[in-house]
Amino acid sequence: MISADEILSIITAVFYLGLLIHFAIRFARSRWWIYFFIGLFCAIRIVAYVIRAYVESDAVTYGSSKWISLYITETTLLSIGVIFILLILARLYASILPKLRHVAGHSRGKFEATLVLRTRLFLLPIIACVIAGAVLASPDYTESQQNTGLILRKVAVLGLMAVALIFLYAAWNYRQRYPENKRAFELCLVVTGLFVVSLIYKIVYTFRTSALTTTWAYFVFSPLLELAALVVLSVDLQMYFLGRKEDKLPKEELHDLA
């Protein structure tokens, strides 16, 4: 008998496929790498939810070596995917902030100098904790190793929340500072807000495994919010973040964005 989790996983994968096609078309027309990264995020999610649907089917025996292998792969892909949202937001900020600063005569702020231009440096430790925690979550490991994995997942989700809240504040702050470009930062604000709500669910689930374990809670607070964020990003981002082709930047700014 097909379970609700299996059905919802297939439906979720189909929605991500639709968005993947949308962003692939945008990338083919513009060659703007933001669209490529969003499409890559969708592809990772499709693979993860297809595996989830397969694991929930009767084709795999619970606890078998095949089930454990698929479980680790699914958990790892789902965990890595959340990093992409912050990376995408960072690239969006990197495409618009230098131009706005250049016109307004502002200096580079700490947010841009760190989390925008050095995003990977701050996210690498979180990514390491996410992957290690996902792998150690497998029932194939000892209880002590699983507890270590749980600690790593707690550190990772709290780190993600801290970074996401900074991004949320930045979106609000830049919206006030550059009202003529507030539409761009409103997009960032909404996407980051949806991501923060999704992370609240992940924090509750990580620290209290017995809470929010129902199928509906998982799909409402995890893929549904992410899909909503991608729908928000499905507008013409180039119009809001790239501006006019004739906009010029100082050479040092172009070097930083390379």
Side-chain angles (χ1 to χ4, degrees):
M1 183 177 178
I2 300 178
S3 65
D5 201 312
E6 185 179 353
I7 294 172
L8 289 172
S9 295
I10 294 172
I11 293 173
T12 300
V14 170
F15 277 115
Y16 275 111
L17 178 61
L19 287 167
L20 172 61
I21 294 172
H22 170 80
F23 287 111
I25 293 173
R26 283 197 177 275
F27 176 67
R29 290 175 177 173
S30 66
R31 296 295 176 182
W32 192 30
W33 283 96
I34 288 289
Y35 292 133
F36 173 82
F37 287 120
I38 299 176
L40 181 59
F41 170 74
C42 292
I44 291 174
R45 280 296 189 248
I46 290 169
V47 175
Y49 282 105
V50 167
I51 292 175
R52 184 183 181 93
Y54 184 64
V55 168
E56 290 295 325
S57 69
D58 297 330
V60 185
T61 303
Y62 177 83
S64 65
S65 58
K66 183 177 182 180
W67 183 91
I68 291 173
S69 177
L70 289 171
Y71 174 81
I72 293 175
T73 304
E74 173 210 335
T75 306
T76 303
L77 289 175
L78 288 175
S79 300
I80 291 176
V82 299
I83 304 294
F84 269 76
I85 296 179
L86 291 175
L87 291 173
I88 291 166
L89 286 170
R91 290 301 87 199
L92 287 175
Y93 281 115
S95 68
I96 191 173
L97 288 179
K99 290 180 290 189
L100 298 183
R101 284 193 295 98
H102 180 56
V103 173
H106 295 158
S107 59
R108 181 183 293 160
K110 291 182 179 179
F111 171 74
E112 185 182 357
T114 55
L115 289 178
V116 171
L117 295 180
R118 303 289 182 267
T119 317
R120 284 169 288 187
L121 179 64
F122 286 88
L123 290 182
L124 275 176
I126 298 177
I127 294 173
C129 289
V130 165
I131 296 175
V135 172
L136 292 174
S138 168
D140 198 34
Y141 287 93
T142 65
E143 184 178 352
S144 175
Q145 290 172 320
Q146 290 182 33
N147 289 335
T148 301
L150 178 59
I151 292 173
L152 291 175
R153 293 198 301 277
K154 288 179 179 179
V155 171
V157 75
L158 289 177
L160 282 173
M161 176 58 82
V163 175
L165 288 175
I166 295 173
F167 270 80
L168 191 66
Y169 171 76
W172 177 263
N173 183 45
Y174 287 127
R175 180 180 177 276
Q176 306 295 341
R177 185 184 303 180
Y178 303 111
E180 66 279 7
N181 294 89
K182 69 176 184 178
R183 176 59 175 164
F185 297 114
E186 283 175 351
L187 290 172
C188 291
L189 187 66
V190 173
V191 171
T192 310
L194 291 169
F195 182 52
V196 166
V197 176
S198 178
L199 280 174
I200 291 173
Y201 165 81
K202 288 180 174 63
I203 288 176
V204 173
Y205 178 77
T206 303
F207 279 82
R208 292 192 62 187
T209 310
S210 59
L212 300 177
T213 55
T214 58
T215 298
W216 73 265
Y218 171 80
F219 281 94
V220 167
F221 287 100
S222 193
L224 184 60
L225 290 177
E226 288 181 355
L227 287 168
L230 291 177
V231 169
V232 172
L233 291 175
S234 66
V235 299
D236 187 359
L237 296 176
Q238 290 171 280
M239 179 176 68
Y240 298 114
F241 290 91
L242 291 185
R244 300 167 301 176
K245 291 183 178 180
E246 61 268 23
D247 287 344
K248 302 297 181 181
L249 290 176
K251 290 183 178 180
E252 60 270 19
E253 298 285 6
L254 292 173
H255 175 74
D256 286 338
L257 293 175

